Amino acid sequence: MRISVIGCGYLGAVHAACMAKLGHDVVGVDVDADKVALLSSGRAPFFEPGLPELLEETMATGRLRFTTDLAEVAGAQVHFVCVGTPQKQREYAADMRFVDAAVEGVLPHLAPGDVLVGKSTVPVGTAERIAERLAEVQPEASLVWNPEFLREGFAVQDTLHPDRLVYGIPEGPDGPHAQAVLDEVYATPLADGTPQVVTDFATAQLVKVAANSFLATKISFINAMAELCEATGADVTQLADAIGHDARIGRRFLNAGLGFGGGCLPKDIRAFMARAGELGADQALSFLREVDAINMRRRVRMVDLAREVCDGSIVGRKVAVLGAAFKPNSDDVRDSPALSVAAQMALQGASVVVTDPEAVANAERAWPSLTFAATPQEAAAGADVVVLATEWAEYRDLDPHAFGEVVAGKRIVDGRNVLDPGKWRSAGWVYRALGRP
Ligand code: UGA
Protein backbone atom coordinates (compact mmCIF):
# COMPACT_ATOMS: atom_id res chain seq x y z
CA MET A 1 0.00 0.00 0.00
CA ARG A 2 1.08 3.62 -0.52
CA ILE A 3 0.80 5.35 2.83
CA SER A 4 1.30 8.87 4.16
CA VAL A 5 1.84 9.67 7.83
CA ILE A 6 1.17 13.25 8.87
CA GLY A 7 3.04 14.23 12.04
CA CYS A 8 6.34 12.50 12.86
CA GLY A 9 6.51 12.76 16.65
CA TYR A 10 6.65 9.77 19.02
CA LEU A 11 3.58 8.29 17.38
CA GLY A 12 4.03 9.19 13.72
CA ALA A 13 7.76 8.48 13.32
CA VAL A 14 7.32 5.02 14.81
CA HIS A 15 4.15 4.39 12.82
CA ALA A 16 5.82 5.41 9.54
CA ALA A 17 8.83 3.16 10.13
CA CYS A 18 6.63 0.25 11.22
CA MET A 19 4.36 0.59 8.17
CA ALA A 20 7.48 0.44 5.95
CA LYS A 21 8.61 -2.63 7.90
CA LEU A 22 5.23 -4.24 7.12
CA GLY A 23 6.09 -3.81 3.42
CA HIS A 24 4.27 -0.57 2.59
CA ASP A 25 5.60 2.43 0.70
CA VAL A 26 5.55 5.30 3.19
CA VAL A 27 6.03 9.06 3.19
CA GLY A 28 6.19 10.79 6.58
CA VAL A 29 5.39 14.51 6.73
CA ASP A 30 6.22 16.97 9.49
CA VAL A 31 6.33 20.77 9.73
CA ASP A 32 9.59 20.59 11.73
CA ALA A 33 12.43 20.72 9.17
CA ASP A 34 15.06 19.63 11.74
CA LYS A 35 13.06 16.53 12.61
CA VAL A 36 12.56 15.69 8.94
CA ALA A 37 16.30 16.15 8.27
CA LEU A 38 17.19 13.79 11.13
CA LEU A 39 14.65 11.17 10.08
CA SER A 40 15.75 11.48 6.44
CA SER A 41 19.28 10.62 7.50
CA GLY A 42 17.93 7.53 9.27
CA ARG A 43 18.26 8.93 12.78
CA ALA A 44 15.52 9.07 15.42
CA PRO A 45 14.78 12.57 16.79
CA PHE A 46 14.02 11.09 20.23
CA PHE A 47 15.11 8.10 22.31
CA GLU A 48 13.05 5.03 21.54
CA PRO A 49 14.59 1.56 21.82
CA GLY A 50 14.67 -0.26 18.48
CA LEU A 51 13.68 2.77 16.40
CA PRO A 52 17.17 3.68 15.08
CA GLU A 53 17.69 0.12 13.85
CA LEU A 54 14.22 0.04 12.29
CA LEU A 55 14.79 3.38 10.53
CA GLU A 56 18.10 2.19 9.17
CA GLU A 57 16.57 -1.05 7.93
CA THR A 58 13.49 0.49 6.32
CA MET A 59 15.22 3.54 4.81
CA ALA A 60 17.63 1.14 3.07
CA THR A 61 14.70 -0.55 1.32
CA GLY A 62 13.74 2.77 -0.30
CA ARG A 63 10.18 2.32 1.02
CA LEU A 64 10.39 5.10 3.62
CA ARG A 65 11.04 8.80 3.19
CA PHE A 66 10.31 12.00 5.06
CA THR A 67 9.42 15.49 3.87
CA THR A 68 8.09 18.84 5.05
CA ASP A 69 5.99 19.17 1.90
CA LEU A 70 2.42 18.08 2.55
CA ALA A 71 1.72 17.98 -1.20
CA GLU A 72 3.82 14.80 -1.31
CA VAL A 73 1.00 12.86 0.32
CA ALA A 74 -0.72 12.93 -3.08
CA GLY A 75 -0.56 9.45 -4.55
CA ALA A 76 -0.83 7.68 -1.22
CA GLN A 77 -4.05 5.69 -0.74
CA VAL A 78 -4.07 5.79 3.06
CA HIS A 79 -3.28 8.88 5.13
CA PHE A 80 -2.63 8.57 8.86
CA VAL A 81 -3.10 11.67 10.99
CA CYS A 82 -0.62 11.30 13.88
CA VAL A 83 -0.21 14.85 15.21
CA GLY A 84 -0.31 15.78 18.91
CA THR A 85 -3.27 17.02 20.94
CA PRO A 86 -1.61 18.72 23.94
CA GLN A 87 -3.52 20.26 26.83
CA LYS A 88 -4.61 23.84 26.16
CA GLN A 89 -2.96 26.48 28.29
CA ARG A 90 -5.04 27.36 31.37
CA GLU A 91 -7.71 24.81 30.36
CA TYR A 92 -8.33 21.09 30.71
CA ALA A 93 -9.43 20.70 27.09
CA ALA A 94 -7.23 19.38 24.27
CA ASP A 95 -5.71 21.82 21.81
CA MET A 96 -7.01 20.69 18.44
CA ARG A 97 -5.07 23.16 16.29
CA PHE A 98 -2.57 20.58 15.00
CA VAL A 99 -5.24 18.03 14.07
CA ASP A 100 -7.33 20.67 12.33
CA ALA A 101 -4.31 22.00 10.43
CA ALA A 102 -3.22 18.49 9.39
CA VAL A 103 -6.70 17.62 8.15
CA GLU A 104 -7.15 20.89 6.26
CA GLY A 105 -3.67 20.43 4.78
CA VAL A 106 -4.26 16.92 3.54
CA LEU A 107 -7.85 17.32 2.28
CA PRO A 108 -6.98 18.99 -1.08
CA HIS A 109 -4.63 16.10 -1.93
CA LEU A 110 -7.11 13.28 -1.39
CA ALA A 111 -8.26 11.27 -4.40
CA PRO A 112 -11.46 9.22 -4.75
CA GLY A 113 -11.17 5.94 -2.83
CA ASP A 114 -8.50 7.29 -0.44
CA VAL A 115 -8.85 6.56 3.25
CA LEU A 116 -8.04 9.18 5.86
CA VAL A 117 -7.17 7.53 9.18
CA GLY A 118 -7.33 9.37 12.51
CA LYS A 119 -4.79 8.13 15.06
CA SER A 120 -4.38 11.19 17.28
CA THR A 121 -6.09 11.09 20.70
CA VAL A 122 -9.08 13.40 20.32
CA PRO A 123 -12.22 14.51 22.15
CA VAL A 124 -15.14 12.33 21.11
CA GLY A 125 -17.00 14.09 18.29
CA THR A 126 -13.86 15.05 16.38
CA ALA A 127 -14.14 12.19 13.88
CA GLU A 128 -17.72 13.14 13.10
CA ARG A 129 -16.61 16.73 12.49
CA ILE A 130 -13.74 15.65 10.23
CA ALA A 131 -16.05 13.30 8.31
CA GLU A 132 -18.30 16.28 7.52
CA ARG A 133 -15.36 18.28 6.17
CA LEU A 134 -14.25 15.28 4.13
CA ALA A 135 -17.72 14.95 2.61
CA GLU A 136 -17.56 18.61 1.52
CA VAL A 137 -14.08 18.46 -0.05
CA GLN A 138 -13.67 14.87 -1.31
CA PRO A 139 -16.94 12.96 -0.91
CA GLU A 140 -15.44 9.87 -2.54
CA ALA A 141 -12.79 9.45 0.17
CA SER A 142 -13.59 7.96 3.56
CA LEU A 143 -12.53 8.29 7.18
CA VAL A 144 -11.62 5.62 9.74
CA TRP A 145 -10.89 6.32 13.41
CA ASN A 146 -8.07 3.99 14.44
CA PRO A 147 -6.74 4.92 17.90
CA GLU A 148 -3.18 4.04 18.86
CA PHE A 149 -2.25 2.32 22.13
CA LEU A 150 1.55 2.22 21.92
CA ARG A 151 3.65 2.84 25.00
CA GLU A 152 6.79 4.93 24.79
CA GLY A 153 9.77 2.67 25.33
CA PHE A 154 7.94 -0.23 23.65
CA ALA A 155 6.58 1.72 20.68
CA VAL A 156 8.05 -0.42 17.90
CA GLN A 157 6.91 -3.69 19.46
CA ASP A 158 3.46 -2.25 20.27
CA THR A 159 2.98 -1.01 16.68
CA LEU A 160 4.14 -4.20 14.98
CA HIS A 161 2.35 -6.47 17.46
CA PRO A 162 -0.57 -4.48 18.88
CA ASP A 163 -2.82 -5.82 21.67
CA ARG A 164 -5.81 -4.98 19.50
CA LEU A 165 -6.82 -3.00 16.44
CA VAL A 166 -9.81 -0.71 16.82
CA TYR A 167 -11.53 0.78 13.76
CA GLY A 168 -14.30 3.34 13.98
CA ILE A 169 -15.85 3.19 10.51
CA PRO A 170 -18.51 5.36 8.89
CA GLU A 171 -22.11 4.25 8.55
CA GLY A 172 -23.27 3.34 5.04
CA PRO A 173 -21.50 1.90 2.00
CA ASP A 174 -18.18 3.70 2.76
CA GLY A 175 -17.66 1.59 5.86
CA PRO A 176 -16.81 -1.79 4.27
CA HIS A 177 -14.44 -0.17 1.75
CA ALA A 178 -12.59 1.75 4.46
CA GLN A 179 -12.35 -1.37 6.60
CA ALA A 180 -11.02 -3.46 3.69
CA VAL A 181 -8.31 -0.88 2.97
CA LEU A 182 -7.19 -0.76 6.60
CA ASP A 183 -7.27 -4.57 6.78
CA GLU A 184 -4.79 -4.58 3.91
CA VAL A 185 -2.54 -2.10 5.76
CA TYR A 186 -2.62 -4.31 8.86
CA ALA A 187 -2.61 -7.64 7.00
CA THR A 188 0.45 -8.92 8.90
CA PRO A 189 -0.73 -8.24 12.49
CA LEU A 190 -4.23 -9.45 11.54
CA ALA A 191 -2.76 -12.70 10.17
CA ASP A 192 -0.87 -13.03 13.48
CA GLY A 193 -4.26 -13.13 15.22
CA THR A 194 -4.42 -9.57 16.60
CA PRO A 195 -7.95 -9.05 17.96
CA GLN A 196 -9.95 -6.54 15.95
CA VAL A 197 -12.87 -4.41 17.09
CA VAL A 198 -14.85 -2.74 14.32
CA THR A 199 -17.25 -0.12 15.61
CA ASP A 200 -18.64 3.38 15.12
CA PHE A 201 -16.70 6.65 15.34
CA ALA A 202 -17.88 7.56 18.85
CA THR A 203 -16.96 4.20 20.36
CA ALA A 204 -13.52 4.15 18.70
CA GLN A 205 -12.66 7.62 20.02
CA LEU A 206 -13.93 6.73 23.49
CA VAL A 207 -11.98 3.45 23.61
CA LYS A 208 -8.73 5.39 23.58
CA VAL A 209 -9.52 7.80 26.40
CA ALA A 210 -11.31 5.10 28.38
CA ALA A 211 -8.19 2.91 28.24
CA ASN A 212 -5.89 5.71 29.42
CA SER A 213 -8.38 6.74 32.11
CA PHE A 214 -8.49 3.17 33.40
CA LEU A 215 -4.69 2.97 33.54
CA ALA A 216 -4.48 6.33 35.34
CA THR A 217 -7.17 5.18 37.78
CA LYS A 218 -5.31 1.95 38.47
CA ILE A 219 -2.13 3.87 39.30
CA SER A 220 -3.96 6.38 41.49
CA PHE A 221 -5.82 3.56 43.23
CA ILE A 222 -2.58 1.96 44.35
CA ASN A 223 -1.15 5.37 45.26
CA ALA A 224 -4.21 6.03 47.43
CA MET A 225 -3.49 2.67 49.11
CA ALA A 226 0.09 3.91 49.58
CA GLU A 227 -1.29 6.87 51.54
CA LEU A 228 -3.16 4.40 53.77
CA CYS A 229 -0.02 2.31 54.10
CA GLU A 230 1.90 5.40 55.22
CA ALA A 231 -0.79 6.08 57.83
CA THR A 232 -0.72 2.51 59.16
CA GLY A 233 2.85 1.29 58.70
CA ALA A 234 1.82 -1.19 56.00
CA ASP A 235 3.80 -1.97 52.83
CA VAL A 236 2.11 -1.02 49.54
CA THR A 237 4.40 -3.21 47.43
CA GLN A 238 3.30 -6.32 49.31
CA LEU A 239 -0.29 -5.15 49.21
CA ALA A 240 -0.03 -4.76 45.40
CA ASP A 241 1.55 -8.22 45.06
CA ALA A 242 -1.21 -9.74 47.14
CA ILE A 243 -4.18 -8.11 45.41
CA GLY A 244 -2.45 -8.55 42.02
CA HIS A 245 -2.61 -12.34 42.38
CA ASP A 246 -6.35 -12.01 41.81
CA ALA A 247 -6.51 -12.33 38.01
CA ARG A 248 -9.49 -9.97 37.98
CA ILE A 249 -7.24 -7.25 39.40
CA GLY A 250 -3.84 -8.16 37.93
CA ARG A 251 -0.44 -6.91 39.12
CA ARG A 252 0.44 -4.71 36.12
CA PHE A 253 0.12 -0.93 36.58
CA LEU A 254 -0.09 -1.37 40.34
CA ASN A 255 3.35 0.10 41.02
CA ALA A 256 2.91 2.73 43.69
CA GLY A 257 5.26 5.68 43.79
CA LEU A 258 5.56 9.11 42.26
CA GLY A 259 2.63 8.47 39.96
CA PHE A 260 1.96 9.05 36.30
CA GLY A 261 3.25 11.74 33.99
CA GLY A 262 4.13 12.00 30.32
CA GLY A 263 2.45 13.40 27.27
CA CYS A 264 -0.62 11.17 27.47
CA LEU A 265 -2.20 10.05 30.76
CA PRO A 266 -2.36 13.45 32.55
CA LYS A 267 -3.64 15.47 29.60
CA ASP A 268 -5.94 12.70 28.36
CA ILE A 269 -7.88 12.39 31.62
CA ARG A 270 -8.22 16.19 31.76
CA ALA A 271 -9.39 16.48 28.15
CA PHE A 272 -11.85 13.65 28.80
CA MET A 273 -13.30 15.52 31.80
CA ALA A 274 -13.56 18.71 29.74
CA ARG A 275 -15.34 16.90 26.92
CA ALA A 276 -17.71 15.14 29.33
CA GLY A 277 -18.61 18.58 30.69
CA GLU A 278 -19.44 19.82 27.20
CA LEU A 279 -21.62 16.74 26.70
CA GLY A 280 -23.48 17.32 29.97
CA ALA A 281 -22.00 14.11 31.41
CA ASP A 282 -19.44 15.64 33.78
CA GLN A 283 -20.71 13.65 36.77
CA ALA A 284 -19.69 10.43 35.05
CA LEU A 285 -16.05 11.45 35.18
CA SER A 286 -15.87 13.42 38.41
CA PHE A 287 -13.82 10.53 39.86
CA LEU A 288 -11.04 11.45 37.42
CA ARG A 289 -10.57 14.70 39.35
CA GLU A 290 -9.70 12.57 42.35
CA VAL A 291 -7.43 10.36 40.24
CA ASP A 292 -5.58 13.51 39.15
CA ALA A 293 -5.45 14.91 42.69
CA ILE A 294 -4.08 11.67 44.20
CA ASN A 295 -1.45 11.64 41.48
CA MET A 296 -0.32 15.21 42.10
CA ARG A 297 -0.26 14.67 45.91
CA ARG A 298 2.45 12.02 45.49
CA ARG A 299 4.83 14.69 44.18
CA VAL A 300 4.21 16.85 47.24
CA ARG A 301 4.66 13.85 49.54
CA MET A 302 7.98 13.06 47.90
CA VAL A 303 9.32 16.52 48.71
CA ASP A 304 8.00 16.14 52.26
CA LEU A 305 9.83 12.81 52.63
CA ALA A 306 13.10 14.36 51.45
CA ARG A 307 12.57 17.10 54.03
CA GLU A 308 11.82 14.56 56.76
CA VAL A 309 15.04 12.61 56.17
CA CYS A 310 16.96 15.90 56.21
CA ASP A 311 15.75 16.59 59.77
CA GLY A 312 12.97 18.97 58.77
CA SER A 313 14.58 21.29 56.24
CA ILE A 314 15.99 21.06 52.71
CA VAL A 315 17.09 24.69 52.64
CA GLY A 316 20.72 24.75 51.54
CA ARG A 317 20.82 20.95 51.40
CA LYS A 318 22.32 19.24 48.40
CA VAL A 319 19.82 16.90 46.71
CA ALA A 320 20.59 14.43 43.92
CA VAL A 321 17.60 13.49 41.78
CA LEU A 322 18.01 10.24 39.84
CA GLY A 323 15.81 10.47 36.78
CA ALA A 324 14.31 13.25 34.68
CA ALA A 325 12.26 11.31 32.12
CA PHE A 326 8.61 10.62 32.99
CA LYS A 327 9.43 6.90 32.92
CA PRO A 328 12.44 4.72 32.14
CA ASN A 329 13.46 3.90 28.55
CA SER A 330 12.28 7.30 27.37
CA ASP A 331 13.81 10.77 27.00
CA ASP A 332 10.37 12.36 27.25
CA VAL A 333 10.11 14.92 30.05
CA ARG A 334 6.57 16.15 29.39
CA ASP A 335 4.81 16.46 32.75
CA SER A 336 7.58 14.42 34.33
CA PRO A 337 6.98 13.71 38.03
CA ALA A 338 10.77 13.58 38.48
CA LEU A 339 11.31 17.11 37.20
CA SER A 340 8.29 18.39 39.06
CA VAL A 341 9.81 17.12 42.32
CA ALA A 342 13.29 18.43 41.43
CA ALA A 343 11.92 21.88 40.61
CA GLN A 344 9.83 22.02 43.81
CA MET A 345 12.86 21.21 45.94
CA ALA A 346 14.96 23.81 44.12
CA LEU A 347 12.22 26.41 44.65
CA GLN A 348 12.18 25.50 48.34
CA GLY A 349 15.86 26.32 48.71
CA ALA A 350 17.62 23.02 48.08
CA SER A 351 20.62 22.78 45.81
CA VAL A 352 19.39 20.20 43.31
CA VAL A 353 21.37 18.21 40.73
CA VAL A 354 19.39 16.03 38.32
CA THR A 355 20.71 13.15 36.25
CA ASP A 356 19.19 10.85 33.64
CA PRO A 357 20.72 8.41 31.15
CA GLU A 358 18.79 9.85 28.18
CA ALA A 359 16.68 12.85 29.12
CA VAL A 360 19.18 15.47 30.33
CA ALA A 361 19.11 17.48 27.08
CA ASN A 362 15.31 17.65 27.04
CA ALA A 363 15.17 18.35 30.78
CA GLU A 364 17.66 21.20 30.44
CA ARG A 365 15.49 22.80 27.76
CA ALA A 366 12.36 22.46 29.92
CA TRP A 367 14.01 23.54 33.22
CA PRO A 368 17.10 25.63 32.41
CA SER A 369 17.26 26.79 36.01
CA LEU A 370 18.05 23.29 37.32
CA THR A 371 21.55 21.82 37.43
CA PHE A 372 22.30 18.59 35.60
CA ALA A 373 24.93 15.87 35.73
CA ALA A 374 25.75 13.00 33.41
CA THR A 375 25.94 10.16 35.94
CA PRO A 376 24.35 9.27 39.29
CA GLN A 377 27.79 9.42 40.89
CA GLU A 378 28.38 12.99 39.65
CA ALA A 379 24.89 14.06 40.67
CA ALA A 380 25.27 12.53 44.14
CA ALA A 381 28.79 13.80 44.87
CA GLY A 382 28.51 15.44 48.30
CA ALA A 383 24.70 15.07 48.38
CA ASP A 384 22.79 15.15 51.66
CA VAL A 385 19.93 13.15 50.19
CA VAL A 386 19.34 11.09 47.03
CA VAL A 387 15.89 10.98 45.47
CA LEU A 388 15.15 8.12 43.06
CA ALA A 389 12.47 9.54 40.78
CA THR A 390 12.58 7.44 37.58
CA GLU A 391 13.28 3.72 37.83
CA TRP A 392 15.97 3.27 35.16
CA ALA A 393 17.61 -0.17 35.45
CA GLU A 394 21.00 1.42 36.22
CA TYR A 395 19.52 3.17 39.28
CA ARG A 396 17.79 0.02 40.50
CA ASP A 397 21.13 -1.79 40.24
CA LEU A 398 23.19 0.78 42.16
CA ASP A 399 25.44 -0.79 44.77
CA PRO A 400 24.57 0.92 48.08
CA HIS A 401 28.12 0.39 49.42
CA ALA A 402 29.97 1.97 46.47
CA PHE A 403 27.31 4.68 46.08
CA GLY A 404 27.59 5.46 49.78
CA GLU A 405 31.19 6.53 49.19
CA VAL A 406 30.23 9.52 47.00
CA VAL A 407 27.48 11.11 49.10
CA ALA A 408 27.85 13.36 52.15
CA GLY A 409 24.85 11.83 53.92
CA LYS A 410 23.53 8.31 53.30
CA ARG A 411 19.85 9.18 52.89
CA ILE A 412 17.73 7.88 50.04
CA VAL A 413 14.10 8.39 49.16
CA ASP A 414 12.84 5.73 46.76
CA GLY A 415 10.08 7.38 44.72
CA ARG A 416 9.39 4.24 42.68
CA ASN A 417 9.63 1.47 45.30
CA VAL A 418 12.27 -0.39 43.33
CA LEU A 419 15.15 -0.64 45.79
CA ASP A 420 15.59 -3.37 48.38
CA PRO A 421 15.17 -1.55 51.71
CA GLY A 422 17.07 -4.25 53.64
CA LYS A 423 20.08 -4.03 51.37
CA TRP A 424 20.28 -0.22 51.57
CA ARG A 425 19.70 -0.07 55.31
CA SER A 426 22.32 -2.70 56.01
CA ALA A 427 24.78 -0.59 53.99
CA GLY A 428 24.14 2.24 56.44
CA TRP A 429 21.56 4.24 54.50
CA VAL A 430 18.44 5.89 55.86
CA TYR A 431 15.88 4.48 53.41
CA ARG A 432 12.42 5.97 52.95
CA ALA A 433 9.84 5.26 50.27
CA LEU A 434 6.31 6.19 49.27
CA GLY A 435 3.92 3.73 50.91
CA ARG A 436 6.50 1.54 52.62
CA PRO A 437 7.46 1.53 56.27
C1 UGA B 1 0.30 5.51 27.86
C2 UGA B 1 -0.49 4.19 27.72
O1 UGA B 1 0.08 3.19 28.57
C3 UGA B 1 -0.46 3.71 26.27
O2 UGA B 1 -1.25 2.55 26.13
C4 UGA B 1 -1.01 4.84 25.39
O3 UGA B 1 -1.01 4.47 24.02
C5 UGA B 1 -0.18 6.09 25.57
O4 UGA B 1 -0.22 6.48 26.96
C6 UGA B 1 -0.76 7.16 24.72
O5 UGA B 1 -1.89 7.59 24.96
O6 UGA B 1 -0.13 7.53 23.70
P1 UGA B 1 2.91 6.10 28.03
O7 UGA B 1 2.49 7.52 28.19
O8 UGA B 1 4.02 5.75 27.10
O9 UGA B 1 1.66 5.21 27.55
O10 UGA B 1 3.34 5.60 29.47
P2 UGA B 1 2.89 4.48 30.52
O11 UGA B 1 3.76 3.31 30.37
O12 UGA B 1 1.44 4.27 30.45
O13 UGA B 1 3.27 5.20 31.88
C7 UGA B 1 2.61 6.41 32.26
C8 UGA B 1 3.08 6.90 33.59
O14 UGA B 1 2.56 6.07 34.62
C9 UGA B 1 4.59 6.93 33.80
O15 UGA B 1 4.93 8.15 34.42
C10 UGA B 1 4.85 5.76 34.72
O16 UGA B 1 5.98 5.96 35.54
C11 UGA B 1 3.57 5.73 35.54
N1 UGA B 1 3.26 4.41 36.11
C12 UGA B 1 3.02 3.34 35.31
C13 UGA B 1 3.17 4.27 37.48
O17 UGA B 1 3.35 5.23 38.24
N2 UGA B 1 2.86 3.04 38.01
C14 UGA B 1 2.62 1.96 37.24
O18 UGA B 1 2.34 0.87 37.77
C15 UGA B 1 2.71 2.12 35.85
Side-chain angles (χ1 to χ4, degrees), residues 38-268:
L38 270 175
L39 286 164
S40 298
S41 65
R43 282 174 297 163
F46 47 84
F47 178 78
E48 181 62 43
L51 182 59
E53 295 80 0
L54 185 65
L55 280 171
E56 196 184 346
E57 179 191 332
T58 49
M59 299 284 292
T61 63
R63 288 197 307 267
L64 176 63
R65 66 199 168 83
F66 295 93
T67 176
T68 53
D69 183 5
L70 200 52
E72 291 190 38
V73 307
Q77 309 146 274
V78 188
H79 308 268
F80 286 96
V81 176
C82 294
V83 294
T85 50
Q87 188 177 336
K88 274 189 188 166
Q89 283 194 346
R90 292 180 296 277
E91 271 184 62
Y92 269 19
D95 185 343
M96 296 303 292
R97 274 181 299 174
F98 306 110
V99 171
D100 292 341
V103 169
E104 287 306 321
V106 78
L107 280 179
H109 305 291
L110 296 184
D114 279 8
V115 178
L116 183 62
V117 186
K119 274 214 161 288
S120 305
T121 301
V122 295
V124 57
T126 304
E128 293 80 348
R129 186 164 59 76
I130 294 174
E132 277 174 27
R133 276 294 291 147
L134 186 61
E136 284 166 21
V137 180
Q138 179 46 276
E140 289 175 66
S142 39
L143 176 72
V144 180
W145 211 262
N146 171 223
E148 179 56 56
F149 305 100
L150 66 79
R151 300 158 295 166
E152 287 178 25
F154 302 92
V156 172
Q157 159 81 11
D158 285 353
T159 308
L160 293 174
H161 308 282
D163 284 342
R164 72 289 209 192
L165 287 164
V166 176
Y167 303 178
I169 61 168
E171 283 173 19
D174 266 10
H177 164 72
Q179 180 181 344
V181 169
L182 215 54
D183 278 354
E184 211 174 322
V185 170
Y186 294 128
T188 307
L190 286 171
D192 292 343
T194 304
Q196 184 186 40
V197 179
V198 180
T199 181
D200 52 77
F201 284 149
T203 307
Q205 293 164 94
L206 281 174
V207 166
K208 170 68 198 186
V209 278
N212 276 1
S213 297
F214 190 87
L215 294 172
T217 304
K218 205 170 173 190
I219 298 168
S220 276
F221 173 82
I222 200 65
N223 282 332
M225 294 306 110
E227 293 187 5
L228 265 305
C229 288
E230 282 158 19
T232 55
D235 184 330
V236 73
T237 61
Q238 291 183 329
L239 184 144
D241 289 345
I243 63 172
H245 282 303
D246 184 332
R248 294 170 303 174
I249 296 173
R251 180 63 178 82
R252 295 175 72 189
F253 265 67
L254 277 186
N255 295 321
L258 253 184
F260 59 82
C264 302
L265 263 43
K267 65 105 176 152
D268 285 355

